[in-house]
Amino acid sequence: MHPRVGWWTDQSIEWFVRASEDSSYHRNLSDRIAELLFPCRSILELGCGLGYEAELLQKKGFVVTALDNNEKVISLAQKRSGLDIFHCADAKHTEASADALLCINYGHLCDISELTDLLSHASMRLIYVLSRHNGHGTDTREDRTETVRKLMKESSFDFSESSLFLDFDQPLKSMEEAKAFIDFTYLGKNAQSYLAFVEKTENPKYPFVLRNRKELSIFVLNKRR
């Protein structure tokens, strides 16, 4: 398990926003999710963070409620999007529900009781997206795909699994910032080895970039009607 307590800081938010503005990552991910939602119309997202996918799905015509327990990221999502779909709430204690429950890198699904709890928030479908962490950060963040796959099978519901490869590169101001970003993001004794993925660019504002090719596992579990 990643040993840091708390992910969102002023600095990590700045990095994430910078990468998001320079990438089609969120648009491509939300496009894939939208393809998997039919015939669902309403969506509840838990742990929405800065809310890029929730915003894009709302603009596609879905009715979205997005929750996170971090007041700052919810406030920033509201301000950026101009939408009233974002709410600060403890996802573990909410009674909210929708046709589909969306979880993108939310929590660490480990046992059938946790999966059952998630399913209680969806009348039709669970879409569970996780990063496989088989590239950068493998020494601190394990690939949990097999664990989630096993739980899906144990649930006895019909489910499907697919992979999605997306670039989410991190623009950086300097090599010093690159080192700071890598230390914060990946931790672990081998973190500085990821400097090999930092490249020079022609962008005077961000003359360096950390190449980050993400492999996502997307599970779709359908509840019985």
Side-chain angles (χ1 to χ4, degrees):
M1 180 180 293
H2 202 280
R4 184 188 301 103
V5 176
W7 171 258
W8 295 116
T9 66
D10 289 347
Q11 180 62 82
S12 68
I13 289 172
E14 179 187 345
W15 281 327
F16 193 87
V17 169
R18 189 190 306 172
S20 298
E21 291 176 346
D22 197 52
S23 170
S24 60
Y25 174 85
H26 300 295
R27 183 176 69 251
N28 292 335
L29 178 54
S30 64
D31 285 348
R32 171 62 70 86
I33 292 169
E35 293 172 356
L36 300 171
L37 281 167
F38 181 82
C40 301
R41 298 307 305 164
S42 62
I43 306 166
L44 171 65
E45 182 180 3
L46 301 184
C48 67
L50 287 160
Y52 288 95
E53 284 77 21
E55 176 186 356
L56 291 165
L57 289 167
Q58 175 79 10
K59 290 179 177 179
K60 287 178 181 292
F62 295 97
V63 178
V64 180
T65 301
L67 308 181
D68 199 286
N69 64 1
N70 186 298
E71 292 183 3
K72 184 158 192 174
V73 295
I74 287 296
S75 177
L76 290 170
Q78 292 170 336
K79 183 177 180 180
R80 183 197 68 247
S81 68
L83 300 173
D84 61 358
I85 64 173
F86 297 101
H87 307 280
C88 187
D90 185 346
K92 293 184 178 180
H93 297 97
T94 183
E95 295 183 359
S97 62
D99 294 339
L101 177 67
L102 174 61
C103 299
I104 304 174
N105 294 319
Y106 168 74
H108 288 268
L109 191 57
C110 295
D111 60 51
I112 197 68
S113 64
E114 292 175 320
L115 178 58
T116 300
D117 182 64
L118 289 180
L119 290 172
S120 69
H121 299 287
S123 62
M124 297 172 64
R125 183 168 300 162
L126 166 66
I127 297 181
Y128 193 88
V129 182
L130 58 85
S131 293
R132 298 202 62 168
H133 297 309
N134 56 358
H136 308 341
T138 54
D139 56 333
T140 55
R141 292 178 289 178
E142 64 178 335
D143 179 358
R144 297 187 297 109
T145 303
E146 182 55 41
T147 298
V148 174
R149 184 183 298 124
K150 180 180 178 182
L151 290 175
M152 295 287 176
K153 291 179 179 178
E154 289 178 358
S155 74
S156 76
F157 292 126
D158 292 332
F159 79 95
S160 63
E161 176 187 352
S162 61
S163 296
L164 183 63
F165 296 85
L166 297 175
D167 292 323
F168 194 45
D169 297 340
Q170 180 63 55
L172 298 159
K173 298 176 182 177
S174 65
M175 284 303 296
E176 288 70 26
E177 186 180 38
K179 293 175 182 177
F181 175 80
I182 287 169
D183 280 339
F184 178 87
T185 304
Y186 302 116
L187 303 178
K189 61 182 180 180
N190 297 319
Q192 289 305 306
S193 66
Y194 307 138
L195 285 170
F197 297 97
V198 178
E199 300 176 5
K200 289 186 177 181
T201 75
E202 300 298 322
N203 185 342
K205 186 176 182 180
Y206 301 115
F208 297 91
V209 62
L210 174 67
R211 299 300 181 191
N212 188 6
R213 180 72 162 168
K214 286 183 173 290
E215 180 180 356
L216 305 176
S217 292
I218 304 178
F219 293 91
V220 179
L221 189 153
N222 293 306
K223 295 183 71 173
R224 297 189 186 91
R225 296 185 183 181

mmCIF file of all heavy atoms in Angstrom, residues 103-120:
data_model
loop_
_atom_site.group_PDB
_atom_site.id
_atom_site.type_symbol
_atom_site.label_atom_id
_atom_site.label_comp_id
_atom_site.label_asym_id
_atom_site.label_seq_id
_atom_site.Cartn_x
_atom_site.Cartn_y
_atom_site.Cartn_z
ATOM 1 N N CYS A 103 -16.238 4.476 -9.614
ATOM 2 C CA CYS A 103 -15.088 4.580 -8.718
ATOM 3 C C CYS A 103 -13.822 4.573 -9.563
ATOM 4 O O CYS A 103 -13.539 3.575 -10.238
ATOM 5 C CB CYS A 103 -15.040 3.411 -7.734
ATOM 6 S SG CYS A 103 -16.471 3.301 -6.635
ATOM 7 N N ILE A 104 -13.087 5.685 -9.558
ATOM 8 C CA ILE A 104 -11.843 5.795 -10.308
ATOM 9 C C ILE A 104 -10.694 5.911 -9.306
ATOM 10 O O ILE A 104 -10.561 6.930 -8.627
ATOM 11 C CB ILE A 104 -11.857 7.013 -11.256
ATOM 12 C CG1 ILE A 104 -13.053 6.941 -12.208
ATOM 13 C CG2 ILE A 104 -10.547 7.102 -12.032
ATOM 14 C CD1 ILE A 104 -13.220 8.183 -13.074
ATOM 15 N N ASN A 105 -9.916 4.862 -9.201
ATOM 16 C CA ASN A 105 -8.813 4.828 -8.232
ATOM 17 C C ASN A 105 -9.312 5.219 -6.840
ATOM 18 O O ASN A 105 -8.653 5.957 -6.108
ATOM 19 C CB ASN A 105 -7.677 5.757 -8.672
ATOM 20 C CG ASN A 105 -7.012 5.279 -9.945
ATOM 21 O OD1 ASN A 105 -6.779 4.090 -10.122
ATOM 22 N ND2 ASN A 105 -6.703 6.199 -10.842
ATOM 23 N N TYR A 106 -10.478 4.719 -6.501
ATOM 24 C CA TYR A 106 -11.080 5.031 -5.211
ATOM 25 C C TYR A 106 -10.894 3.871 -4.256
ATOM 26 O O TYR A 106 -11.321 2.743 -4.529
ATOM 27 C CB TYR A 106 -12.573 5.327 -5.370
ATOM 28 C CG TYR A 106 -13.318 5.384 -4.060
ATOM 29 C CD1 TYR A 106 -13.168 6.471 -3.211
ATOM 30 C CD2 TYR A 106 -14.156 4.345 -3.657
ATOM 31 C CE1 TYR A 106 -13.831 6.533 -2.001
ATOM 32 C CE2 TYR A 106 -14.834 4.396 -2.456
ATOM 33 C CZ TYR A 106 -14.673 5.490 -1.624
ATOM 34 O OH TYR A 106 -15.330 5.535 -0.421
ATOM 35 N N GLY A 107 -10.265 4.136 -3.111
ATOM 36 C CA GLY A 107 -10.116 3.131 -2.072
ATOM 37 C C GLY A 107 -9.245 1.961 -2.486
ATOM 38 O O GLY A 107 -8.578 1.976 -3.513
ATOM 39 N N HIS A 108 -9.262 0.948 -1.656
ATOM 40 C CA HIS A 108 -8.498 -0.272 -1.920
ATOM 41 C C HIS A 108 -9.433 -1.456 -1.690
ATOM 42 O O HIS A 108 -9.477 -2.033 -0.610
ATOM 43 C CB HIS A 108 -7.270 -0.364 -1.003
ATOM 44 C CG HIS A 108 -6.207 0.614 -1.361
ATOM 45 N ND1 HIS A 108 -5.174 0.312 -2.222
ATOM 46 C CD2 HIS A 108 -6.035 1.906 -1.007
ATOM 47 C CE1 HIS A 108 -4.393 1.374 -2.373
ATOM 48 N NE2 HIS A 108 -4.892 2.345 -1.649
ATOM 49 N N LEU A 109 -10.190 -1.788 -2.702
ATOM 50 C CA LEU A 109 -11.162 -2.871 -2.620
ATOM 51 C C LEU A 109 -10.447 -4.181 -2.321
ATOM 52 O O LEU A 109 -9.632 -4.656 -3.112
ATOM 53 C CB LEU A 109 -11.910 -2.961 -3.949
ATOM 54 C CG LEU A 109 -13.150 -3.849 -4.020
ATOM 55 C CD1 LEU A 109 -14.166 -3.423 -2.967
ATOM 56 C CD2 LEU A 109 -13.748 -3.746 -5.416
ATOM 57 N N CYS A 110 -10.743 -4.757 -1.145
ATOM 58 C CA CYS A 110 -9.989 -5.930 -0.685
ATOM 59 C C CYS A 110 -10.857 -7.137 -0.338
ATOM 60 O O CYS A 110 -10.359 -8.260 -0.341
ATOM 61 C CB CYS A 110 -9.147 -5.567 0.545
ATOM 62 S SG CYS A 110 -7.841 -4.372 0.216
ATOM 63 N N ASP A 111 -12.122 -6.935 0.016
ATOM 64 C CA ASP A 111 -12.931 -8.089 0.395
ATOM 65 C C ASP A 111 -14.364 -7.918 -0.092
ATOM 66 O O ASP A 111 -14.785 -6.842 -0.501
ATOM 67 C CB ASP A 111 -12.887 -8.342 1.907
ATOM 68 C CG ASP A 111 -13.407 -7.177 2.716
ATOM 69 O OD1 ASP A 111 -14.520 -6.687 2.430
ATOM 70 O OD2 ASP A 111 -12.711 -6.736 3.648
ATOM 71 N N ILE A 112 -15.105 -9.016 -0.016
ATOM 72 C CA ILE A 112 -16.442 -9.043 -0.596
ATOM 73 C C ILE A 112 -17.401 -8.112 0.131
ATOM 74 O O ILE A 112 -18.333 -7.573 -0.468
ATOM 75 C CB ILE A 112 -16.993 -10.494 -0.595
ATOM 76 C CG1 ILE A 112 -18.176 -10.603 -1.564
ATOM 77 C CG2 ILE A 112 -17.321 -10.941 0.801
ATOM 78 C CD1 ILE A 112 -17.801 -10.448 -3.014
ATOM 79 N N SER A 113 -17.169 -7.864 1.413
ATOM 80 C CA SER A 113 -18.053 -6.954 2.147
ATOM 81 C C SER A 113 -17.908 -5.522 1.634
ATOM 82 O O SER A 113 -18.890 -4.781 1.559
ATOM 83 C CB SER A 113 -17.746 -6.997 3.652
ATOM 84 O OG SER A 113 -16.439 -6.532 3.927
ATOM 85 N N GLU A 114 -16.696 -5.129 1.270
ATOM 86 C CA GLU A 114 -16.486 -3.800 0.695
ATOM 87 C C GLU A 114 -17.165 -3.685 -0.664
ATOM 88 O O GLU A 114 -17.764 -2.660 -0.988
ATOM 89 C CB GLU A 114 -14.995 -3.511 0.576
ATOM 90 C CG GLU A 114 -14.281 -3.351 1.916
ATOM 91 C CD GLU A 114 -12.785 -3.190 1.749
ATOM 92 O OE1 GLU A 114 -12.191 -3.887 0.897
ATOM 93 O OE2 GLU A 114 -12.204 -2.352 2.461
ATOM 94 N N LEU A 115 -17.066 -4.740 -1.456
ATOM 95 C CA LEU A 115 -17.731 -4.731 -2.756
ATOM 96 C C LEU A 115 -19.247 -4.665 -2.580
ATOM 97 O O LEU A 115 -19.931 -3.923 -3.290
ATOM 98 C CB LEU A 115 -17.343 -5.982 -3.544
ATOM 99 C CG LEU A 115 -18.011 -6.143 -4.919
ATOM 100 C CD1 LEU A 115 -17.700 -4.939 -5.816
ATOM 101 C CD2 LEU A 115 -17.548 -7.434 -5.584
ATOM 102 N N THR A 116 -19.768 -5.407 -1.626
ATOM 103 C CA THR A 116 -21.212 -5.389 -1.358
ATOM 104 C C THR A 116 -21.666 -3.998 -0.950
ATOM 105 O O THR A 116 -22.728 -3.524 -1.365
ATOM 106 C CB THR A 116 -21.558 -6.395 -0.255
ATOM 107 O OG1 THR A 116 -21.173 -7.708 -0.677
ATOM 108 C CG2 THR A 116 -23.047 -6.388 0.050
ATOM 109 N N ASP A 117 -20.839 -3.317 -0.147
ATOM 110 C CA ASP A 117 -21.173 -1.959 0.275
ATOM 111 C C ASP A 117 -21.207 -1.009 -0.918
ATOM 112 O O ASP A 117 -22.119 -0.179 -1.032
ATOM 113 C CB ASP A 117 -20.153 -1.469 1.305
ATOM 114 C CG ASP A 117 -20.484 -0.072 1.811
ATOM 115 O OD1 ASP A 117 -21.543 0.083 2.439
ATOM 116 O OD2 ASP A 117 -19.691 0.856 1.563
ATOM 117 N N LEU A 118 -20.242 -1.147 -1.822
ATOM 118 C CA LEU A 118 -20.245 -0.305 -3.021
ATOM 119 C C LEU A 118 -21.502 -0.547 -3.849
ATOM 120 O O LEU A 118 -22.151 0.391 -4.317
ATOM 121 C CB LEU A 118 -19.003 -0.582 -3.872
ATOM 122 C CG LEU A 118 -17.660 -0.097 -3.336
ATOM 123 C CD1 LEU A 118 -16.544 -0.457 -4.322
ATOM 124 C CD2 LEU A 118 -17.662 1.407 -3.085
ATOM 125 N N LEU A 119 -21.856 -1.801 -4.009
ATOM 126 C CA LEU A 119 -23.004 -2.151 -4.836
ATOM 127 C C LEU A 119 -24.323 -1.617 -4.275
ATOM 128 O O LEU A 119 -25.284 -1.432 -5.020
ATOM 129 C CB LEU A 119 -23.092 -3.670 -5.002
ATOM 130 C CG LEU A 119 -22.012 -4.309 -5.874
ATOM 131 C CD1 LEU A 119 -22.099 -5.817 -5.798
ATOM 132 C CD2 LEU A 119 -22.147 -3.836 -7.316
ATOM 133 N N SER A 120 -24.352 -1.353 -2.981
ATOM 134 C CA SER A 120 -25.579 -0.833 -2.378
ATOM 135 C C SER A 120 -25.907 0.567 -2.882
ATOM 136 O O SER A 120 -27.033 1.051 -2.724
ATOM 137 C CB SER A 120 -25.453 -0.814 -0.851
ATOM 138 O OG SER A 120 -24.510 0.162 -0.423
#
